[in-house]
Amino acid sequence: MASQVSHEVAPREKRELTPAEERTEAGKFFSPHTDIHETERAVLVTMEVPGVSKSSIDIQVEKGVLTVKGTIDPTRYESVQPLYTEYNVGNFVRTFTVSPKIDAASISATVADGVLTIELPKAKEALARRIAVN
Amino acid sequence: MVIRVRDPFATLLGLQRAMENVMGSDWFGSRTSGSGAFPLLNVFTAGDDFVVEAELPGVKKQDLDVQVRGDTLRIQGKKTIAYDENASIHRRERAAGQFDRTVTLPDEIDSARVSADFRDGVLTLRLPRAESAKPRTVAIN
């Protein structure tokens, strides 16, 4: 039982953008929870963007900065009225500085169940090499 | 607060404001019972129905279990995060594990007509109020 409790997911509030990174567009923007991990071949960025459909995700790489923006569909809230609310809804945005060792031309992304995975393949020159000792 | 606007952005803005107000006030403790557990829930009304929404990104549909009995709703499931064994981690913000949450709604639910939709990591439940819980107009003789 004790082990079960320790595996329970703790509720966390979404992080809203701070005034320093606020945007000019109206409405709330949240910074999605993100995992970044590195494999031999690539750097993988995994972010949680619940409510964002595949067609509403915008990923751009410009001057070494990766910008991910996801917009939710507000029409689903047209005919409902809030009764109890525990979290607010809004769009997502987050930017990352990309290492020059990333092959920007071959970045790819997939989305499933509100989780966006961006694969940033390492440039050939940056791949780790095993050097044989003669 | 009534939100009935044409412009979709106005809809979202109005909703965000309304939600902020509800979250900020503790008037008569108008809150979900048993708050503070995962997943966080939003409860809306849509006509006679309740609409319950939860953000569950990364949860598989088959790992979700929703039960309705009387006026209580139970959502349980598990969320798993799996990465390549050899991957080195630079940043970890996502959380995984099990969850089990029960909330009481203000009225009895017609459990036979409950519908659930899980799309883009958002679970939406439409819970029609039971006939017995609906107000009845009484004819005055």
Side-chain angles (χ1 to χ4, degrees), chain A residues 18-36:
Chain A
T18 57
E21 41 187 359
E22 250 179 342
R23 303 177 67 85
T24 48
E25 293 133 285
K28 283 185 187 298
F29 276 87
F30 296 96
S31 175
H33 293 303
T34 305
D35 282 355
I36 300 176

Side-chain angles (χ1 to χ4, degrees), chain A residues 66-84:
Chain A
L66 172 76
T67 307
V68 183
K69 188 179 163 190
T71 44
I72 58 161
D73 174 20
T75 54
R76 50 180 288 153
Y77 298 112
E78 241 158 39
S79 54
V80 298
Q81 289 173 51
L83 185 63
Y84 306 143

Side-chain angles (χ1 to χ4, degrees), chain B residues 11-49:
Chain B
T11 310
L12 188 61
L13 278 178
L15 179 84
Q16 286 174 340
R17 260 183 228 126
M19 292 177 112
E20 215 162 52
N21 290 342
V22 182
M23 273 197 254
S25 73
D26 214 12
W27 196 250
F28 289 120
S30 159
R31 299 224 154 189
T32 1
S33 61
S35 60
F38 185 91
L40 296 180
L41 302 173
N42 279 337
V43 182
F44 301 98
T45 53
D48 278 338
D49 300 354

Side-chain angles (χ1 to χ4, degrees), chain A residues 12 28 38 48 77 86, chain B residues 20 32 53 79 90 93:
Chain A
R12 280 187 303 171
K28 283 185 187 298
E38 186 180 338
E48 300 187 335
Y77 298 112
E86 294 179 351
Chain B
E20 215 162 52
T32 1
E53 188 193 70
K79 176 174 165 180
H90 290 237
E93 292 171 3

Side-chain angles (χ1 to χ4, degrees), chain A residues 5-20:
Chain A
V5 171
S6 67
H7 284 293
E8 221 166 85
V9 194
R12 280 187 303 171
E13 243 176 69
K14 289 200 270 187
R15 195 180 78 89
E16 207 180 331
L17 295 193
T18 57

Side-chain angles (χ1 to χ4, degrees), chain A residues 52-121:
Chain A
V52 178
S53 66
K54 192 177 152 188
S55 56
S56 322
I57 298 172
D58 181 38
I59 304 168
Q60 282 184 21
V61 189
E62 203 188 336
K63 291 179 183 151
V65 176
L66 172 76
T67 307
V68 183
K69 188 179 163 190
T71 44
I72 58 161
D73 174 20
T75 54
R76 50 180 288 153
Y77 298 112
E78 241 158 39
S79 54
V80 298
Q81 289 173 51
L83 185 63
Y84 306 143
T85 58
E86 294 179 351
Y87 66 88
N88 214 324
V89 292
N91 303 326
F92 295 96
V93 72
R94 194 150 179 181
T95 56
F96 302 91
T97 309
V98 179
S99 153
K101 288 169 186 159
I102 293 297
D103 180 6
S106 46
I107 295 174
S108 61
T110 52
V111 67
D113 294 327
V115 177
L116 172 70
T117 307
I118 306 169
E119 191 180 344
L120 307 144

